[in-house]
Amino acid sequence: MSSVPKSLHYSLILALTAALYVNALPGAWHYDDFHSVADNLALRSLANVPRFFTDPTTFSANPEMAMYRPVLLVSYAVQYAITGPGVGWWHLGNVMLHGANACLVGWIGASLIGPAGVAAGYLFAAHPLATEPVNYVSGRSDLLMALWWLVALGLAVRYPIKRGWLIWAFVGLALLTKESAVTLPAVLLLAWAVPHRGLLASPWWRGKAVAAVALLCVWVNLSKWVGTIGDSLDHPVRSWLSQAITQVMLLPTYLGLLVWPVGLTVEHEAVALSSPVWQTWVTLAGLLVVAALVPWMWRRSRLAVFLLAWGVLALLPVLVMPLNVLLNERRLYLPLAAACVGAVVFLGWAWQGHRRTAVATVIAGVTVLGGLTLARNPVWASELALWEDAVVKGPTMPRSWIWYGNSLADLARQYRAGGNREAELRTWRRAAACFQCVREIATTKTLYCRATNNLGSVWLDLGRVDRAEPLFREALALDSTYADAWVNLAHCSSARAMRESGPRLTEQWGVVHDQYIRALKLSAHHLEANVGLSKMWYAVGDTSWGRYYLARAREVRPDDVRWQR
């Protein structure tokens, strides 16, 4: 590969990325995309850009989902200003970012091991582990953070003495894009130490270490000021011990996905552990063996140690920090970059003196990986396809069943719009079965509440207010801050109001109004709460308020098909 001009290599990597993800462009919005992008009013105007740096609630339409990722939000706002809400354009943006990252991986590989290292870019572009961050619009947080990470690392490797201020600028961009970039300074310090023996003791390297610590201190204090780090640390979703035990046990799974990326799913089967099991002890023993070998590896091949540290440090933040999802494929996006460079290093060693064989091996690897990527993309074409695949591969995961039930409910409504009553009823029964399954297997109150609310929604859509209302009240008894349940309860009250007359009608409309307003106090831009209030005011004859809430609903989701009727 060294005989091919560099510019041609990067053009080919971009072309490969485009070819592998052309079937991903139609795509759809998925789970967190709705609250963080599709329904997020803060992204609709570039005038909100300064707020992104001071107000973490601009991250989502739901204030309780606040995160401090201002640079990510700037990218969203710029894209919305250019392309609008069309989901295909957002997928194209993610494909372009992945192509750029693949070129950067090739550049870093060539900088570390010579011209042949560009092959790492081809492997990275083709690997199916990238299908989740590319097909999932909210996965841009991983793609954009990786872009800044890889640029900073590439500059550090290529220009170890120069470009210091520029490197730290990209580190800052990475930190302001996603919190997991917190280990990037440590990776940079190792990158500077790899080619120079004795550098760790030099004043130059110590100066870089001081700069890294200072930058991290600024970022931590900024995050504390906006209130995001403190909340996450004070209210972890599981104990720190449980997180450590569980993630140690899952390390072999992560490694397996890097080496043999089959059976990919949006929700892998994983259970939080409160005490170690035998797999935990075996994995821990393996880690201790690797740690004991590091000094020997450092003497034999500093590059191998650096690539290992790159992969581990890139994954470390999500291993340590308790998150809702235990195992997630897109967390491997940056470790995958290190693995691709490492694969090229291994091939160069294994096929030393056999250049054609090494090139053929890379081409075969890219072909196989690319085939897996092309096969995986259609699963992300719709919510129904994505979650049907998830429940098949992870039948014990409650979240998958909730989202699968939601997608079936949407399908039932489509059958209703098409007048296919038999298919509609059959699909409603399947959706109800999904939610009932979650009520039986849910491991947390949050999941149980969501399943209970959604099961009530099925009965409400079928016109059975008598069966729906008790379920909504049960969900609210468990969590009185659940906005969706308040909206659905208001829908039930509205249906009852339609059967009343006289003073009781006025009283019932007052109940409906209070329940919708309660939901809006919890979630100011709740689409269905605004739609419900609009219908209520039209029903009581006040068209001015009806138009007001209808306008608010259209502002939340301007491309909703209901506005076209």
Side-chain angles (χ1 to χ4, degrees), residues 402 405-406 408-410 412-413 416 421 424-436 450-465 467-469 471-472 488 492:
I402 286 179
N406 290 344
L408 286 171
D410 290 339
R413 295 183 186 102
R416 174 187 293 170
R421 182 63 174 172
E424 179 197 348
L425 293 176
R426 183 172 62 249
T427 308
W428 280 126
R429 285 194 293 269
R430 292 174 62 194
C434 290
F435 299 135
Q436 185 57 44
R450 287 179 62 186
T452 301
N453 173 73
N454 294 2
L455 181 58
S457 297
V458 171
W459 288 115
L460 184 59
D461 269 287
L462 290 171
R464 294 294 305 274
V465 176
R467 298 198 65 171
E469 186 171 348
L471 291 167
F472 299 139
N488 286 325
C492 289

mmCIF file of all heavy atoms in Angstrom, residues 402 405-406 408-410 412-413 416 421 424-436 450-465 467-469 471-472 488 492:
data_model
loop_
_atom_site.group_PDB
_atom_site.id
_atom_site.type_symbol
_atom_site.label_atom_id
_atom_site.label_comp_id
_atom_site.label_asym_id
_atom_site.label_seq_id
_atom_site.Cartn_x
_atom_site.Cartn_y
_atom_site.Cartn_z
ATOM 1 N N ILE A 402 -39.867 -2.593 25.897
ATOM 2 C CA ILE A 402 -40.620 -1.331 25.929
ATOM 3 C C ILE A 402 -40.566 -0.641 24.569
ATOM 4 O O ILE A 402 -41.596 -0.222 24.015
ATOM 5 C CB ILE A 402 -40.070 -0.398 27.030
ATOM 6 C CG1 ILE A 402 -40.490 -0.907 28.414
ATOM 7 C CG2 ILE A 402 -40.584 1.030 26.833
ATOM 8 C CD1 ILE A 402 -39.973 -0.070 29.562
ATOM 9 N N GLY A 405 -42.502 -2.556 21.981
ATOM 10 C CA GLY A 405 -43.926 -2.305 22.159
ATOM 11 C C GLY A 405 -44.328 -0.938 21.617
ATOM 12 O O GLY A 405 -45.376 -0.795 20.977
ATOM 13 N N ASN A 406 -43.497 0.079 21.851
ATOM 14 C CA ASN A 406 -43.779 1.413 21.323
ATOM 15 C C ASN A 406 -43.832 1.417 19.795
ATOM 16 O O ASN A 406 -44.702 2.054 19.184
ATOM 17 C CB ASN A 406 -42.718 2.409 21.788
ATOM 18 C CG ASN A 406 -42.809 2.720 23.263
ATOM 19 O OD1 ASN A 406 -43.816 2.449 23.903
ATOM 20 N ND2 ASN A 406 -41.754 3.283 23.824
ATOM 21 N N LEU A 408 -44.503 -1.140 17.880
ATOM 22 C CA LEU A 408 -45.710 -1.862 17.469
ATOM 23 C C LEU A 408 -46.948 -0.974 17.612
ATOM 24 O O LEU A 408 -47.863 -1.022 16.768
ATOM 25 C CB LEU A 408 -45.880 -3.126 18.308
ATOM 26 C CG LEU A 408 -44.924 -4.281 17.996
ATOM 27 C CD1 LEU A 408 -45.043 -5.379 19.048
ATOM 28 C CD2 LEU A 408 -45.208 -4.850 16.606
ATOM 29 N N ALA A 409 -46.995 -0.156 18.656
ATOM 30 C CA ALA A 409 -48.117 0.772 18.830
ATOM 31 C C ALA A 409 -48.174 1.763 17.671
ATOM 32 O O ALA A 409 -49.265 2.082 17.159
ATOM 33 C CB ALA A 409 -47.990 1.499 20.160
ATOM 34 N N ASP A 410 -47.018 2.263 17.244
ATOM 35 C CA ASP A 410 -46.987 3.166 16.084
ATOM 36 C C ASP A 410 -47.487 2.451 14.828
ATOM 37 O O ASP A 410 -48.209 3.031 14.009
ATOM 38 C CB ASP A 410 -45.564 3.681 15.852
ATOM 39 C CG ASP A 410 -45.111 4.653 16.934
ATOM 40 O OD1 ASP A 410 -45.978 5.231 17.605
ATOM 41 O OD2 ASP A 410 -43.885 4.804 17.110
ATOM 42 N N ALA A 412 -49.599 -0.048 14.753
ATOM 43 C CA ALA A 412 -51.052 -0.226 14.895
ATOM 44 C C ALA A 412 -51.790 1.037 14.465
ATOM 45 O O ALA A 412 -52.842 0.968 13.813
ATOM 46 C CB ALA A 412 -51.392 -0.586 16.337
ATOM 47 N N ARG A 413 -51.242 2.197 14.821
ATOM 48 C CA ARG A 413 -51.876 3.453 14.420
ATOM 49 C C ARG A 413 -51.821 3.637 12.902
ATOM 50 O O ARG A 413 -52.737 4.217 12.304
ATOM 51 C CB ARG A 413 -51.206 4.623 15.139
ATOM 52 C CG ARG A 413 -51.401 4.589 16.655
ATOM 53 C CD ARG A 413 -50.801 5.796 17.350
ATOM 54 N NE ARG A 413 -50.897 5.633 18.804
ATOM 55 C CZ ARG A 413 -49.890 5.270 19.592
ATOM 56 N NH1 ARG A 413 -48.678 5.047 19.066
ATOM 57 N NH2 ARG A 413 -50.065 5.129 20.893
ATOM 58 N N ARG A 416 -54.544 1.605 11.524
ATOM 59 C CA ARG A 416 -55.822 2.298 11.744
ATOM 60 C C ARG A 416 -56.032 3.358 10.675
ATOM 61 O O ARG A 416 -57.125 3.482 10.100
ATOM 62 C CB ARG A 416 -55.853 2.936 13.123
ATOM 63 C CG ARG A 416 -57.092 3.793 13.371
ATOM 64 C CD ARG A 416 -56.989 4.527 14.693
ATOM 65 N NE ARG A 416 -57.020 3.597 15.808
ATOM 66 C CZ ARG A 416 -56.754 3.929 17.066
ATOM 67 N NH1 ARG A 416 -56.431 5.188 17.355
ATOM 68 N NH2 ARG A 416 -56.794 3.033 18.029
ATOM 69 N N ARG A 421 -58.543 -2.814 10.109
ATOM 70 C CA ARG A 421 -58.925 -3.027 11.503
ATOM 71 C C ARG A 421 -58.370 -4.322 12.065
ATOM 72 O O ARG A 421 -57.915 -4.378 13.217
ATOM 73 C CB ARG A 421 -60.451 -3.022 11.611
ATOM 74 C CG ARG A 421 -61.002 -3.196 13.025
ATOM 75 C CD ARG A 421 -60.586 -2.052 13.921
ATOM 76 N NE ARG A 421 -61.227 -2.136 15.232
ATOM 77 C CZ ARG A 421 -60.934 -1.357 16.259
ATOM 78 N NH1 ARG A 421 -60.004 -0.424 16.130
ATOM 79 N NH2 ARG A 421 -61.569 -1.492 17.416
ATOM 80 N N GLU A 424 -54.738 -3.945 12.767
ATOM 81 C CA GLU A 424 -54.585 -3.012 13.872
ATOM 82 C C GLU A 424 -54.774 -3.710 15.220
ATOM 83 O O GLU A 424 -53.931 -3.575 16.131
ATOM 84 C CB GLU A 424 -55.602 -1.878 13.746
ATOM 85 C CG GLU A 424 -55.522 -0.877 14.896
ATOM 86 C CD GLU A 424 -56.758 -0.009 15.013
ATOM 87 O OE1 GLU A 424 -57.598 -0.012 14.092
ATOM 88 O OE2 GLU A 424 -56.886 0.675 16.059
ATOM 89 N N LEU A 425 -55.869 -4.458 15.370
ATOM 90 C CA LEU A 425 -56.148 -5.130 16.640
ATOM 91 C C LEU A 425 -55.083 -6.169 16.959
ATOM 92 O O LEU A 425 -54.662 -6.305 18.116
ATOM 93 C CB LEU A 425 -57.532 -5.774 16.595
ATOM 94 C CG LEU A 425 -58.721 -4.797 16.526
ATOM 95 C CD1 LEU A 425 -60.026 -5.565 16.377
ATOM 96 C CD2 LEU A 425 -58.757 -3.919 17.774
ATOM 97 N N ARG A 426 -54.635 -6.891 15.946
ATOM 98 C CA ARG A 426 -53.593 -7.900 16.151
ATOM 99 C C ARG A 426 -52.301 -7.241 16.646
ATOM 100 O O ARG A 426 -51.631 -7.758 17.552
ATOM 101 C CB ARG A 426 -53.348 -8.648 14.840
ATOM 102 C CG ARG A 426 -52.326 -9.769 14.967
ATOM 103 C CD ARG A 426 -52.252 -10.605 13.695
ATOM 104 N NE ARG A 426 -51.831 -9.821 12.544
ATOM 105 C CZ ARG A 426 -52.607 -9.507 11.519
ATOM 106 N NH1 ARG A 426 -53.883 -9.891 11.509
ATOM 107 N NH2 ARG A 426 -52.153 -8.783 10.511
ATOM 108 N N THR A 427 -51.972 -6.080 16.090
ATOM 109 C CA THR A 427 -50.744 -5.387 16.481
ATOM 110 C C THR A 427 -50.872 -4.776 17.870
ATOM 111 O O THR A 427 -49.908 -4.763 18.646
ATOM 112 C CB THR A 427 -50.402 -4.307 15.442
ATOM 113 O OG1 THR A 427 -50.402 -4.890 14.130
ATOM 114 C CG2 THR A 427 -49.032 -3.720 15.709
ATOM 115 N N TRP A 428 -52.066 -4.272 18.218
ATOM 116 C CA TRP A 428 -52.275 -3.767 19.573
ATOM 117 C C TRP A 428 -52.066 -4.868 20.606
ATOM 118 O O TRP A 428 -51.484 -4.636 21.669
ATOM 119 C CB TRP A 428 -53.684 -3.187 19.726
ATOM 120 C CG TRP A 428 -53.889 -1.804 19.197
ATOM 121 C CD1 TRP A 428 -54.845 -1.402 18.303
ATOM 122 C CD2 TRP A 428 -53.144 -0.627 19.523
ATOM 123 N NE1 TRP A 428 -54.741 -0.058 18.049
ATOM 124 C CE2 TRP A 428 -53.707 0.458 18.793
ATOM 125 C CE3 TRP A 428 -52.062 -0.375 20.355
ATOM 126 C CZ2 TRP A 428 -53.219 1.748 18.881
ATOM 127 C CZ3 TRP A 428 -51.571 0.924 20.440
ATOM 128 C CH2 TRP A 428 -52.132 1.959 19.719
ATOM 129 N N ARG A 429 -52.544 -6.062 20.290
ATOM 130 C CA ARG A 429 -52.373 -7.188 21.234
ATOM 131 C C ARG A 429 -50.891 -7.501 21.422
ATOM 132 O O ARG A 429 -50.449 -7.789 22.538
ATOM 133 C CB ARG A 429 -53.122 -8.421 20.728
ATOM 134 C CG ARG A 429 -54.639 -8.336 20.898
ATOM 135 C CD ARG A 429 -55.295 -9.690 20.708
ATOM 136 N NE ARG A 429 -55.172 -10.152 19.327
ATOM 137 C CZ ARG A 429 -56.065 -9.907 18.381
ATOM 138 N NH1 ARG A 429 -57.157 -9.198 18.655
ATOM 139 N NH2 ARG A 429 -55.894 -10.373 17.156
ATOM 140 N N ARG A 430 -50.124 -7.452 20.342
ATOM 141 C CA ARG A 430 -48.687 -7.704 20.457
ATOM 142 C C ARG A 430 -48.011 -6.622 21.292
ATOM 143 O O ARG A 430 -47.133 -6.913 22.113
ATOM 144 C CB ARG A 430 -48.055 -7.770 19.059
ATOM 145 C CG ARG A 430 -48.482 -8.967 18.228
ATOM 146 C CD ARG A 430 -47.933 -8.864 16.811
ATOM 147 N NE ARG A 430 -46.477 -8.857 16.797
ATOM 148 C CZ ARG A 430 -45.748 -8.506 15.735
ATOM 149 N NH1 ARG A 430 -46.354 -8.079 14.627
ATOM 150 N NH2 ARG A 430 -44.429 -8.538 15.789
ATOM 151 N N ALA A 431 -48.408 -5.358 21.092
ATOM 152 C CA ALA A 431 -47.829 -4.264 21.870
ATOM 153 C C ALA A 431 -48.157 -4.432 23.350
ATOM 154 O O ALA A 431 -47.289 -4.266 24.225
ATOM 155 C CB ALA A 431 -48.346 -2.920 21.353
ATOM 156 N N ALA A 432 -49.416 -4.776 23.646
ATOM 157 C CA ALA A 432 -49.814 -4.964 25.046
ATOM 158 C C ALA A 432 -49.023 -6.099 25.689
ATOM 159 O O ALA A 432 -48.631 -6.013 26.856
ATOM 160 C CB ALA A 432 -51.314 -5.259 25.116
ATOM 161 N N ALA A 433 -48.787 -7.164 24.929
ATOM 162 C CA ALA A 433 -48.013 -8.288 25.457
ATOM 163 C C ALA A 433 -46.585 -7.864 25.797
ATOM 164 O O ALA A 433 -46.012 -8.314 26.795
ATOM 165 C CB ALA A 433 -47.997 -9.436 24.443
ATOM 166 N N CYS A 434 -46.004 -6.986 24.983
ATOM 167 C CA CYS A 434 -44.646 -6.481 25.265
ATOM 168 C C CYS A 434 -44.622 -5.728 26.593
ATOM 169 O O CYS A 434 -43.734 -5.954 27.432
ATOM 170 C CB CYS A 434 -44.181 -5.561 24.138
ATOM 171 S SG CYS A 434 -43.846 -6.385 22.571
ATOM 172 N N PHE A 435 -45.585 -4.830 26.791
ATOM 173 C CA PHE A 435 -45.590 -4.017 28.005
ATOM 174 C C PHE A 435 -45.902 -4.865 29.245
ATOM 175 O O PHE A 435 -45.331 -4.625 30.315
ATOM 176 C CB PHE A 435 -46.596 -2.880 27.860
ATOM 177 C CG PHE A 435 -46.292 -1.945 26.732
ATOM 178 C CD1 PHE A 435 -47.289 -1.507 25.866
ATOM 179 C CD2 PHE A 435 -44.990 -1.503 26.510
ATOM 180 C CE1 PHE A 435 -46.998 -0.642 24.818
ATOM 181 C CE2 PHE A 435 -44.693 -0.642 25.463
ATOM 182 C CZ PHE A 435 -45.701 -0.211 24.615
ATOM 183 N N GLN A 436 -46.771 -5.842 29.089
ATOM 184 C CA GLN A 436 -47.066 -6.720 30.212
ATOM 185 C C GLN A 436 -45.843 -7.548 30.582
ATOM 186 O O GLN A 436 -45.570 -7.790 31.765
ATOM 187 C CB GLN A 436 -48.241 -7.642 29.873
ATOM 188 C CG GLN A 436 -48.711 -8.509 31.020
ATOM 189 C CD GLN A 436 -49.123 -7.702 32.246
ATOM 190 O OE1 GLN A 436 -49.809 -6.685 32.130
ATOM 191 N NE2 GLN A 436 -48.690 -8.120 33.424
ATOM 192 N N ARG A 450 -42.824 2.970 33.167
ATOM 193 C CA ARG A 450 -42.956 3.185 31.730
ATOM 194 C C ARG A 450 -43.824 2.105 31.100
ATOM 195 O O ARG A 450 -44.690 2.398 30.259
ATOM 196 C CB ARG A 450 -41.573 3.201 31.072
ATOM 197 C CG ARG A 450 -40.768 4.443 31.363
ATOM 198 C CD ARG A 450 -39.405 4.395 30.711
ATOM 199 N NE ARG A 450 -39.504 4.327 29.256
ATOM 200 C CZ ARG A 450 -38.460 4.151 28.453
ATOM 201 N NH1 ARG A 450 -37.243 4.020 28.975
ATOM 202 N NH2 ARG A 450 -38.611 4.111 27.157
ATOM 203 N N ALA A 451 -43.609 0.856 31.498
ATOM 204 C CA ALA A 451 -44.399 -0.238 30.931
ATOM 205 C C ALA A 451 -45.869 -0.101 31.322
ATOM 206 O O ALA A 451 -46.768 -0.339 30.501
ATOM 207 C CB ALA A 451 -43.847 -1.576 31.398
ATOM 208 N N THR A 452 -46.121 0.281 32.569
ATOM 209 C CA THR A 452 -47.495 0.451 33.040
ATOM 210 C C THR A 452 -48.189 1.577 32.282
ATOM 211 O O THR A 452 -49.342 1.439 31.836
ATOM 212 C CB THR A 452 -47.495 0.742 34.552
ATOM 213 O OG1 THR A 452 -46.871 -0.350 35.237
ATOM 214 C CG2 THR A 452 -48.909 0.925 35.078
ATOM 215 N N ASN A 453 -47.508 2.700 32.119
ATOM 216 C CA ASN A 453 -48.066 3.822 31.366
ATOM 217 C C ASN A 453 -48.348 3.424 29.922
ATOM 218 O O ASN A 453 -49.412 3.723 29.364
ATOM 219 C CB ASN A 453 -47.095 4.996 31.409
ATOM 220 C CG ASN A 453 -47.523 6.135 30.506
ATOM 221 O OD1 ASN A 453 -48.465 6.849 30.793
ATOM 222 N ND2 ASN A 453 -46.818 6.285 29.394
ATOM 223 N N ASN A 454 -47.406 2.731 29.295
ATOM 224 C CA ASN A 454 -47.567 2.371 27.892
ATOM 225 C C ASN A 454 -48.666 1.334 27.684
ATOM 226 O O ASN A 454 -49.358 1.343 26.665
ATOM 227 C CB ASN A 454 -46.241 1.858 27.326
ATOM 228 C CG ASN A 454 -45.186 2.952 27.277
ATOM 229 O OD1 ASN A 454 -45.428 4.076 27.692
ATOM 230 N ND2 ASN A 454 -44.005 2.624 26.783
ATOM 231 N N LEU A 455 -48.817 0.418 28.653
ATOM 232 C CA LEU A 455 -49.917 -0.538 28.573
ATOM 233 C C LEU A 455 -51.254 0.199 28.658
ATOM 234 O O LEU A 455 -52.209 -0.117 27.933
ATOM 235 C CB LEU A 455 -49.804 -1.567 29.692
ATOM 236 C CG LEU A 455 -50.888 -2.660 29.735
ATOM 237 C CD1 LEU A 455 -50.919 -3.444 28.428
ATOM 238 C CD2 LEU A 455 -50.658 -3.584 30.922
ATOM 239 N N GLY A 456 -51.322 1.201 29.543
ATOM 240 C CA GLY A 456 -52.522 2.022 29.611
ATOM 241 C C GLY A 456 -52.798 2.733 28.298
ATOM 242 O O GLY A 456 -53.961 2.879 27.883
ATOM 243 N N SER A 457 -51.724 3.170 27.606
ATOM 244 C CA SER A 457 -51.892 3.850 26.318
ATOM 245 C C SER A 457 -52.535 2.940 25.285
ATOM 246 O O SER A 457 -53.320 3.390 24.438
ATOM 247 C CB SER A 457 -50.538 4.349 25.803
ATOM 248 O OG SER A 457 -49.981 5.304 26.667
ATOM 249 N N VAL A 458 -52.187 1.651 25.332
ATOM 250 C CA VAL A 458 -52.802 0.693 24.407
ATOM 251 C C VAL A 458 -54.316 0.661 24.624
ATOM 252 O O VAL A 458 -55.111 0.756 23.679
ATOM 253 C CB VAL A 458 -52.197 -0.712 24.592
ATOM 254 C CG1 VAL A 458 -52.985 -1.751 23.781
ATOM 255 C CG2 VAL A 458 -50.732 -0.715 24.175
ATOM 256 N N TRP A 459 -54.724 0.530 25.885
ATOM 257 C CA TRP A 459 -56.157 0.472 26.183
ATOM 258 C C TRP A 459 -56.836 1.800 25.843
ATOM 259 O O TRP A 459 -57.989 1.807 25.374
ATOM 260 C CB TRP A 459 -56.379 0.130 27.655
ATOM 261 C CG TRP A 459 -56.043 -1.299 27.978
ATOM 262 C CD1 TRP A 459 -55.048 -1.749 28.790
ATOM 263 C CD2 TRP A 459 -56.704 -2.455 27.476
ATOM 264 N NE1 TRP A 459 -55.037 -3.117 28.829
ATOM 265 C CE2 TRP A 459 -56.052 -3.581 28.029
ATOM 266 C CE3 TRP A 459 -57.783 -2.662 26.615
ATOM 267 C CZ2 TRP A 459 -56.441 -4.886 27.745
ATOM 268 C CZ3 TRP A 459 -58.172 -3.960 26.323
ATOM 269 C CH2 TRP A 459 -57.511 -5.057 26.885
ATOM 270 N N LEU A 460 -56.142 2.913 26.035
ATOM 271 C CA LEU A 460 -56.723 4.209 25.697
ATOM 272 C C LEU A 460 -56.946 4.315 24.193
ATOM 273 O O LEU A 460 -57.988 4.809 23.738
ATOM 274 C CB LEU A 460 -55.797 5.329 26.184
ATOM 275 C CG LEU A 460 -56.304 6.764 26.002
ATOM 276 C CD1 LEU A 460 -57.623 6.968 26.749
ATOM 277 C CD2 LEU A 460 -55.257 7.754 26.489
ATOM 278 N N ASP A 461 -55.971 3.860 23.405
ATOM 279 C CA ASP A 461 -56.135 3.891 21.954
ATOM 280 C C ASP A 461 -57.283 3.000 21.495
ATOM 281 O O ASP A 461 -57.896 3.253 20.455
ATOM 282 C CB ASP A 461 -54.831 3.457 21.274
ATOM 283 C CG ASP A 461 -53.919 4.628 20.972
ATOM 284 O OD1 ASP A 461 -54.235 5.396 20.044
ATOM 285 O OD2 ASP A 461 -52.898 4.784 21.664
ATOM 286 N N LEU A 462 -57.552 1.937 22.253
ATOM 287 C CA LEU A 462 -58.655 1.037 21.918
ATOM 288 C C LEU A 462 -59.989 1.533 22.464
ATOM 289 O O LEU A 462 -61.017 0.857 22.329
ATOM 290 C CB LEU A 462 -58.357 -0.364 22.466
ATOM 291 C CG LEU A 462 -57.211 -1.112 21.758
ATOM 292 C CD1 LEU A 462 -56.864 -2.388 22.511
ATOM 293 C CD2 LEU A 462 -57.590 -1.433 20.316
ATOM 294 N N GLY A 463 -59.971 2.697 23.122
ATOM 295 C CA GLY A 463 -61.203 3.265 23.633
ATOM 296 C C GLY A 463 -61.647 2.726 24.972
ATOM 297 O O GLY A 463 -62.768 3.019 25.426
ATOM 298 N N ARG A 464 -60.791 1.961 25.645
ATOM 299 C CA ARG A 464 -61.150 1.362 26.930
ATOM 300 C C ARG A 464 -60.599 2.232 28.066
ATOM 301 O O ARG A 464 -59.610 1.896 28.723
ATOM 302 C CB ARG A 464 -60.601 -0.064 27.020
ATOM 303 C CG ARG A 464 -61.225 -1.027 26.025
ATOM 304 C CD ARG A 464 -62.707 -1.261 26.327
ATOM 305 N NE ARG A 464 -62.896 -1.719 27.687
ATOM 306 C CZ ARG A 464 -62.823 -3.019 28.044
ATOM 307 N NH1 ARG A 464 -62.575 -3.943 27.136
ATOM 308 N NH2 ARG A 464 -63.020 -3.365 29.300
ATOM 309 N N VAL A 465 -61.245 3.377 28.284
ATOM 310 C CA VAL A 465 -60.816 4.294 29.335
ATOM 311 C C VAL A 465 -60.876 3.626 30.706
ATOM 312 O O VAL A 465 -60.037 3.878 31.577
ATOM 313 C CB VAL A 465 -61.683 5.572 29.312
ATOM 314 C CG1 VAL A 465 -61.320 6.498 30.471
ATOM 315 C CG2 VAL A 465 -61.516 6.296 27.988
ATOM 316 N N ARG A 467 -60.138 0.657 31.530
ATOM 317 C CA ARG A 467 -58.954 -0.159 31.792
ATOM 318 C C ARG A 467 -57.671 0.672 31.768
ATOM 319 O O ARG A 467 -56.674 0.297 32.381
ATOM 320 C CB ARG A 467 -58.868 -1.296 30.765
ATOM 321 C CG ARG A 467 -60.033 -2.266 30.813
ATOM 322 C CD ARG A 467 -59.725 -3.566 30.130
ATOM 323 N NE ARG A 467 -58.662 -4.312 30.796
ATOM 324 C CZ ARG A 467 -58.329 -5.573 30.491
ATOM 325 N NH1 ARG A 467 -58.979 -6.210 29.526
ATOM 326 N NH2 ARG A 467 -57.357 -6.168 31.121
ATOM 327 N N ALA A 468 -57.696 1.776 31.038
ATOM 328 C CA ALA A 468 -56.493 2.600 30.905
ATOM 329 C C ALA A 468 -56.236 3.455 32.138
ATOM 330 O O ALA A 468 -55.105 3.540 32.638
ATOM 331 C CB ALA A 468 -56.613 3.492 29.669
ATOM 332 N N GLU A 469 -57.281 4.101 32.654
ATOM 333 C CA GLU A 469 -57.102 5.069 33.734
ATOM 334 C C GLU A 469 -56.452 4.482 34.984
ATOM 335 O O GLU A 469 -55.533 5.103 35.553
ATOM 336 C CB GLU A 469 -58.441 5.720 34.093
ATOM 337 C CG GLU A 469 -58.297 6.844 35.108
ATOM 338 C CD GLU A 469 -59.576 7.623 35.307
ATOM 339 O OE1 GLU A 469 -60.518 7.457 34.493
ATOM 340 O OE2 GLU A 469 -59.632 8.415 36.269
ATOM 341 N N LEU A 471 -54.279 2.182 35.203
ATOM 342 C CA LEU A 471 -52.856 1.965 34.925
ATOM 343 C C LEU A 471 -52.080 3.282 35.009
ATOM 344 O O LEU A 471 -50.968 3.327 35.531
ATOM 345 C CB LEU A 471 -52.690 1.319 33.552
ATOM 346 C CG LEU A 471 -53.176 -0.134 33.454
ATOM 347 C CD1 LEU A 471 -53.272 -0.581 31.998
ATOM 348 C CD2 LEU A 471 -52.239 -1.056 34.225
ATOM 349 N N PHE A 472 -52.655 4.363 34.494
ATOM 350 C CA PHE A 472 -51.982 5.665 34.582
ATOM 351 C C PHE A 472 -51.874 6.119 36.037
ATOM 352 O O PHE A 472 -50.837 6.663 36.447
ATOM 353 C CB PHE A 472 -52.745 6.711 33.764
ATOM 354 C CG PHE A 472 -52.834 6.386 32.297
ATOM 355 C CD1 PHE A 472 -54.007 6.610 31.590
ATOM 356 C CD2 PHE A 472 -51.749 5.862 31.618
ATOM 357 C CE1 PHE A 472 -54.099 6.313 30.244
ATOM 358 C CE2 PHE A 472 -51.821 5.555 30.268
ATOM 359 C CZ PHE A 472 -53.010 5.783 29.578
ATOM 360 N N ASN A 488 -51.493 11.232 29.637
ATOM 361 C CA ASN A 488 -52.435 10.152 29.337
ATOM 362 C C ASN A 488 -53.638 10.163 30.282
ATOM 363 O O ASN A 488 -54.765 9.874 29.875
ATOM 364 C CB ASN A 488 -51.718 8.802 29.408
ATOM 365 C CG ASN A 488 -50.820 8.581 28.209
ATOM 366 O OD1 ASN A 488 -51.135 8.990 27.094
ATOM 367 N ND2 ASN A 488 -49.682 7.931 28.429
ATOM 368 N N CYS A 492 -57.676 10.548 29.369
ATOM 369 C CA CYS A 492 -58.807 9.794 29.933
ATOM 370 C C CYS A 492 -59.879 10.759 30.463
ATOM 371 O O CYS A 492 -61.077 10.571 30.215
ATOM 372 C CB CYS A 492 -58.334 8.886 31.067
ATOM 373 S SG CYS A 492 -57.347 7.482 30.545
#
